[in-house]
Amino acid sequence: MKGLMVQGTASSVGKSLVCTAICRLLANEGKRVAPFKSQNMSSLSIQTEEGLEISVSQSLQARAAKTPYRAEMNPILLKPAGNMESDIIILGEKLNKMNGMHYREQFFEEGQLLIKHSLEKLSATYEYLILEGAGSPVEVNLRDRELVNMRIADLADVPVLLVANIEYGGVFASIVGTLALLPEAQRARVKGIIINKFRGDASLFQDGIDFIESYTGIDVIGIVPYFPNELEEEDGEAKNGRNASDEQIDEWANHFNKHVKWEKIISMLNGVQK
């Protein structure tokens, strides 16, 4: 399949919005594109035309892609239910309630098959898939049974775009540390870095770009300035993605496009290494 996966150095770095922008820019070019997040933990959900439940962030991305919501775009939705338990929603329908340990022990193999089947169904219809990770791909205590980051990039066999939020501080350590903790084969999937929520004069950050590129060997393909009209951040406080207008989506996508090397992203999507 053609596509890429957007992963982050942490939660709330802007993965959801980067996926939203890429979906809209491709759709505006007339491409058939769909979002995908294998497993999402969120209390925010919305129903498809068939009455199936998916996360709001994937519904926003589907709107950006100008395509109907499908349950396969978010095959596993975990909705926190209190007492360290979550409602397990599979392909839009509630399965049962489970705590985190039982979920990890009981659902791992089944989850992989479900994710693989969903990817196959979407790739049969769409030209490009834009996959979203969750949190950080290097939570070493979770790596052996994770269902949402590098295991899924390997399953889909797509390159990875790594996003970091410079607002947090420590952006160099977060990028270098994330890459250092990845196994070599998975690190090789990372083909580009985006630094998000930059404030100030980006030309003064050239030394920072040079350091990242020389130290990691990976291109920085975007320094995206802080955008005041953010739509939906799954892990953050902005919760208006459900009601975002097409004009707001276009405004964000155009802002993103102005500050990234779009041709590099297209090359990643098409499997062309430059």
Side-chain angles (χ1 to χ4, degrees):
M1 69 184 65
K2 289 184 178 180
L4 60 79
M5 188 172 205
V6 177
Q7 296 185 15
T9 57
S11 297
S12 299
V13 298
K15 296 182 291 292
S16 295
L17 290 179
V18 169
C19 290
T20 299
I22 294 172
C23 283
R24 175 50 58 97
L25 292 170
L26 288 171
N28 284 347
E29 292 181 2
K31 307 298 185 184
R32 289 178 293 107
V33 57
F36 181 82
K37 187 164 184 174
S38 54
Q39 174 183 285
N40 206 336
M41 176 170 279
S42 175
S43 59
L44 300 172
S45 64
I46 200 166
Q47 289 190 338
T48 68
E49 292 178 356
E50 297 78 22
L52 302 173
E53 201 170 358
I54 67 170
S55 69
V56 165
S57 59
Q58 271 62 67
S59 73
L60 174 66
Q61 291 161 7
R63 288 180 52 209
K66 303 180 182 181
T67 193
Y69 318 149
R70 289 177 54 173
E72 291 85 4
M73 294 172 179
N74 177 206
I76 305 171
L77 176 60
L78 309 178
K79 296 188 76 173
N83 295 321
M84 299 181 67
E85 291 187 326
S86 294
D87 290 329
I88 313 299
I89 297 170
I90 303 301
L91 289 176
E93 298 187 88
K94 184 174 176 179
L95 178 64
N96 55 23
K97 191 176 290 185
M98 211 178 284
N99 69 35
M101 184 61 71
H102 288 160
Y103 175 77
R104 278 170 55 82
E105 290 174 350
Q106 298 176 21
F107 197 72
F108 180 65
E109 299 298 335
E110 182 180 347
Q112 289 185 90
L113 293 174
L114 171 67
I115 291 163
K116 182 175 184 291
H117 180 66
S118 296
L119 283 168
E120 289 171 348
K121 286 194 72 173
L122 290 175
S123 62
T125 303
Y126 295 96
E127 184 178 359
Y128 295 106
L129 298 185
I130 306 302
L131 287 67
E132 181 184 348
S136 160
V138 290
E139 304 293 354
V140 295
N141 57 313
L142 303 177
R143 179 184 288 164
D144 64 328
R145 299 180 80 80
E146 65 96 359
L147 287 172
V148 70
N149 284 308
M150 277 297 181
R151 189 182 304 277
I152 307 308
D154 288 342
L155 179 64
D157 193 19
V158 292
V160 170
L161 182 59
L162 183 67
V163 180
N165 179 357
I166 198 168
E167 272 197 323
Y168 288 163
V171 72
F172 302 105
S174 68
I175 291 169
V176 171
T178 297
L179 293 168
L181 288 171
L182 285 171
E184 184 176 351
Q186 293 180 341
R187 183 185 185 281
R189 287 200 178 276
V190 182
K191 301 300 183 184
I193 295 167
I194 286 179
I195 295 174
N196 195 25
K197 302 187 181 182
F198 190 89
R199 296 177 189 263
D201 185 349
S203 67
L204 301 178
F205 193 66
Q206 188 59 49
D207 287 349
I209 295 172
D210 293 343
F211 169 80
I212 293 167
E213 293 185 336
S214 64
Y215 195 92
T216 68
I218 301 170
D219 288 344
V220 175
I221 64 173
I223 305 292
V224 181
Y226 175 80
F227 185 71
N229 271 330
E230 295 195 34
L231 304 171
E232 166 65 19
E233 277 294 284
E234 193 71 28
D235 303 311
E237 296 181 357
K239 303 297 185 186
N240 61 334
R242 188 190 304 268
N243 300 314
S245 68
D246 270 358
E247 290 76 14
Q248 286 176 299
I249 295 171
D250 273 325
E251 185 181 5
W252 159 245
N254 291 335
H255 172 82
F256 177 84
N257 193 28
K258 287 177 184 176
H259 299 285
V260 300
K261 299 174 183 176
W262 181 242
E263 71 284 355
K264 294 271 190 181
I265 294 176
I266 294 296
S267 294
M268 287 176 64
L269 285 163
N270 290 322
V272 178
Q273 303 305 318
K274 291 187 178 182

